[in-house]
Amino acid sequence: ALKRRLIDYIETAYFGKNDELRELCRDEIETQGILWKEPYIEANPAYVSVSNGISESSKIPIHIKEILLKMIDKKMGVYGSPYIHQIQAIENFYSGKELFVATGTGSGKTECFMWPMVTKLVSEAKQNSASWEKRGIRAMMLYPMNALVSDQIGRLRRMIGTERFYEMFLDYTGSDRRPQFGMYTGRTPYAGDVRREQDIALSETLRQNLIHRDEETIEQLKAMGKFPSKYDLEAFIDGLVEGKHITDNRDAELITRFEMQSNTPDILITNYSMLEYMLMRQEEQTLWEDTKVWLNMSKENKLLFIIDEAHMYRGASGGEVALLIRRFLHKLGVDRNKIQFILTSASIPQKKKKKVRKFVCD
């Protein structure tokens, strides 16, 4: 199709109505190597998968396996034949280890932290209802740039933001407060204090872009992870008109900063620049206070800290982020054993284990 369009353009733009010239040049234009070449196909590496790898693993705790198998059954982003490194990730996570996942692009790295994170939340809601009732950041996802944050929000919407997930969660745990996530970056509506005119402007934008669409478009947006995971988005928008940022327990996603300041999300997705501001500013202190109380409620309660695209934190920015993480621990008033890390990257040098280990530890 690309070749045909190129040839049509050249014939129209350069030959015009000169049919004789067009006929004389046609054979040459159609010959490979003059204007076009056949495409080269690059094959991705094949990663080893294991049939029924989750159900047959002896190292994954039984109750975690139960959650994963339910998600496989309901087609919620967990696979019946996962890659070996995905199985190893969840096995090692539940043995209490830190993880650094370094595999190629398209090898399912995201699942290596999504599966531990989601099962951790569902497990807490099932095993310790008193702890689950207390709000707090249970998983922090740190990104170097907003584009990656938006991509991850889409994945969360498709995995835990669906009605199917909520039905499974409710049936399995009996808790009507589902796991909730929020994106807290410079793009999150909106900076400053709550202002009526800003609330009305936001409600109009949401209504125009999301509510006033035909059913087919809405379904497409949901399939792409571009539609907020609100239980009743229209009711939320109506609340904004009255100056209220109301969160329903059945919401999977918190949209505005003020929602998150009033209802600390279980999963916070941010970038390192915003995290630095959040540690200092008064407006966000409730998030840290809630998290501190939750962490101290039980010795089992640990915060999962996910650093995706870890290779981007080297040199000066790496040192800055290392110090930022230490400030984060200091802010929560906890020691190192209350945080569990998962780092991922597709850009790690081969056969340099010592250097890679030092990089991760630093």
Side-chain angles (χ1 to χ4, degrees), residues 21-40:
L21 183 60
R22 184 181 293 108
E23 285 303 318
L24 283 168
C25 293
R26 179 159 287 151
D27 286 348
E28 197 155 0
I29 288 173
E30 293 273 1
T31 302
Q32 183 182 177
I34 304 294
L35 282 176
W36 59 276
K37 287 182 76 68
E38 288 288 351
Y40 288 97

Side-chain angles (χ1 to χ4, degrees), residues 22 29 93 126 150 159 181 185 193 261 288-289 332:
R22 184 181 293 108
I29 288 173
F93 176 79
K126 171 79 170 176
S150 301
M159 182 177 273
F181 59 88
T185 70
D193 299 324
Q261 289 162 15
W288 313 129
E289 292 302 321
L332 295 177

Side-chain angles (χ1 to χ4, degrees), residues 33-79:
I34 304 294
L35 282 176
W36 59 276
K37 287 182 76 68
E38 288 288 351
Y40 288 97
I41 308 299
E42 182 184 4
N44 279 336
Y47 297 92
V48 181
S49 60
V50 182
S51 184
N52 301 318
I54 288 170
S55 58
E56 292 184 9
S57 168
S58 58
K59 294 179 183 174
I60 301 173
I62 291 167
H63 66 288
I64 299 302
K65 202 181 281 189
E66 204 173 51
I67 298 163
L68 289 166
L69 292 174
K70 283 179 183 291
M71 291 181 74
I72 291 170
D73 187 50
K74 304 277 185 189
K75 295 183 171 56
M76 292 180 194
V78 182
Y79 315 118

Side-chain angles (χ1 to χ4, degrees), residues 156-206:
L156 281 164
R157 284 170 177 165
R158 292 193 299 271
M159 182 177 273
I160 67 173
T162 61
E163 276 303 303
R164 278 181 306 153
F165 179 85
Y166 183 51
E167 286 165 11
M168 183 276 286
F169 178 82
L170 189 61
D171 180 58
Y172 182 70
T173 66
S175 170
D176 65 346
R177 186 184 82 74
R178 68 189 294 167
Q180 294 175 321
F181 59 88
M183 174 185 83
Y184 211 109
T185 70
R187 292 180 184 174
T188 306
Y190 49 82
D193 299 324
V194 179
R195 295 194 300 281
R196 189 70 188 277
E197 66 274 17
Q198 287 272 50
D199 286 342
I200 291 169
L202 177 59
S203 70
E204 286 172 357
T205 302
L206 292 172

